[in-house]
Amino acid sequence: SQTIHQWPATLVQPVGSPLSLECTVEGTSNPNLYWYRQAAGRGLQLLFYSVGIGQISSEVPQNLSASRPQDRQFILSSKKLLLSDSGFYLCAWSVYSEAFFGQGTRLTVV
Amino acid sequence: AQTVTQSQPEMSVQEAETVTLSCTYDTSESDYYLFWYKQPPSRQMILVIRQEAYKQQNATENRFSVNFQKAAKSFSLKISDSQLGDAAMYFCAYRTPERLIQGAQKLVFGQGTRLTINP
């Protein structure tokens, strides 16, 4: 069966520090991969999506970037975090219809 | 661009009663998917139910059912015999059917409805 792993679960980082969140999927090949951000009590905002290795599309201009070095690995990065980058980040994968989500990472920038 | 609107930020229901959560969406497409996701306090996103736009029959999953009105672009979720474990944020989502330049099919979410179950 397919599983998705996302880590870390919680992260506190100072302003100006770098960021790397990782997501891996098991049990499927060539999935579509997504990074979403959720502000407190709000809906999900799509940040990046990828249909294959090295293929990244950005939905919102921002301080973040994404990479897909392997078929089932998706990484969210930043060179210098801003206070506004705080939030709950969710990785997801899909093949045919619905998306399946990781456990999420709660990022607090201080 | 497709949009999804959930007009009820919060809802509450007595345990064992029935509650309906509303969702409307905007699209010019004729074929697409609609979903309801549940997000409990753990914040794990859990798929509750899905509906394929080309199917006229409303989807049902145990105590959860939808009322899909394609012409009205409405997709409501009915929860019957509400249980304490149903308390969560509920998100309506639309999946774009078209293949974009790079081929991904995106999920667009509404802002969510927080459902409280009163014992």
Side-chain angles (χ1 to χ4, degrees), chain B residues 13-21 48 60-66 77-84 86 90 115 117:
Chain B
V13 64
Q14 290 295 126
E15 192 176 4
E17 296 294 311
T18 296
V19 64
T20 299
L21 308 183
V48 175
T60 299
E61 288 288 341
N62 300 315
R63 297 183 295 108
F64 298 87
S65 62
V66 299
L77 175 69
K78 186 173 80 172
I79 306 174
S80 303
D81 186 24
S82 298
Q83 300 176 1
L84 294 178
D86 295 334
Y90 285 82
L115 178 63
I117 311 296

Side-chain angles (χ1 to χ4, degrees), chain B:
Chain B
Q2 290 85 2
T3 58
V4 178
T5 302
Q6 293 178 250
S7 59
Q8 305 154 315
E10 296 184 357
M11 293 280 286
S12 63
V13 64
Q14 290 295 126
E15 192 176 4
E17 296 294 311
T18 296
V19 64
T20 299
L21 308 183
S22 301
C23 172
T24 58
Y25 57 95
D26 183 27
T27 184
S28 58
E29 302 296 332
S30 60
D31 187 24
Y32 45 86
Y33 283 90
L34 295 165
F35 308 94
W36 279 97
Y37 281 87
K38 169 185 177 180
Q39 188 180 41
S42 67
R43 303 195 79 170
Q44 173 73 52
M45 292 290 285
I46 302 167
L47 178 68
V48 175
I49 200 166
R50 75 171 189 176
Q51 175 77 42
E52 298 164 9
Y54 66 87
K55 290 186 177 180
Q56 293 186 344
Q57 185 174 7
N58 289 324
T60 299
E61 288 288 341
N62 300 315
R63 297 183 295 108
F64 298 87
S65 62
V66 299
N67 183 7
F68 174 48
Q69 301 290 327
K70 190 172 183 179
K73 298 179 183 176
S74 171
F75 183 60
S76 61
L77 175 69
K78 186 173 80 172
I79 306 174
S80 303
D81 186 24
S82 298
Q83 300 176 1
L84 294 178
D86 295 334
M89 282 287 287
Y90 285 82
F91 292 96
C92 179
Y94 167 98
R95 193 198 77 169
T96 55
E98 74 277 11
R99 287 280 173 179
L100 305 178
I101 294 175
Q102 292 192 345
Q105 296 168 334
K106 302 183 293 183
L107 274 180
V108 179
F109 286 84
Q111 290 299 302
T113 297
R114 182 174 301 281
L115 178 63
T116 302
I117 311 296
N118 300 314

